[in-house]
Amino acid sequence: MFRKLKIVDSVVCCALAPICWAQEPTKQVENEFFLFYVPSDMQQLEGHGIDSFVQRFESENIKLSFDYGRYSNNFNGWPEDTRYREVVISGKPARIGTVRFEFREGFPFSTKVYFPLDGQVALSMLVAYKSEGDIEIAHAIFDSIVFKPQPDNQ
């Protein structure tokens, strides 16, 4: 089952999804490859990639970063106790991993989604958070990802 989003006055309501941002104000993040939604208090920070497209966002309780390119991390080096599940988001197969591990200082919980996309390109999006309850926000961010059609020569 696909998770569908309905945008209503800057509020994201998830239909057919177990997680809902019913009253959570959000903002859209869009680039040439995909779009997604984050809580409105998240600020964009500088992100640099050598051979990929990288962006970072941060709020008081959550840090998000993504890497879109040929060398996006597919959970290589993640702790053995990581819990994985296979999902479909935006019509694309993906893997979500969740672990109590401090990939970002001061943020003891981490979850990541990894999409092996067409060709040799992949998307890896990591959300680190302070409270176990914030995993719902991380999953809602992942569920909001919508890929844009790309030329075949990517």
Side-chain angles (χ1 to χ4, degrees), residues 8-29:
V8 181
D9 295 329
S10 298
V11 174
V12 175
C13 295
C14 304
L16 304 175
I19 301 164
C20 185
W21 287 359
Q23 299 300 316
E24 181 79 23
T26 61
K27 62 183 173 186
Q28 179 178 302
V29 176

Side-chain angles (χ1 to χ4, degrees), residues 10 12 21 24-30 35-44 56-59 62-66 125 127 137-138 140-142 144-145:
S10 298
V12 175
W21 287 359
E24 181 79 23
T26 61
K27 62 183 173 186
Q28 179 178 302
V29 176
E30 184 171 7
L35 63 89
F36 61 100
Y37 291 84
V38 297
S40 58
D41 65 339
M42 293 193 81
Q43 300 299 314
Q44 185 171 352
R56 297 182 323 132
F57 298 84
E58 186 175 297
S59 69
I62 296 174
K63 289 187 176 189
L64 178 149
S65 60
F66 69 77
M125 182 180 286
V127 177
I137 294 172
I141 292 168
F142 297 162
S144 74
I145 295 170

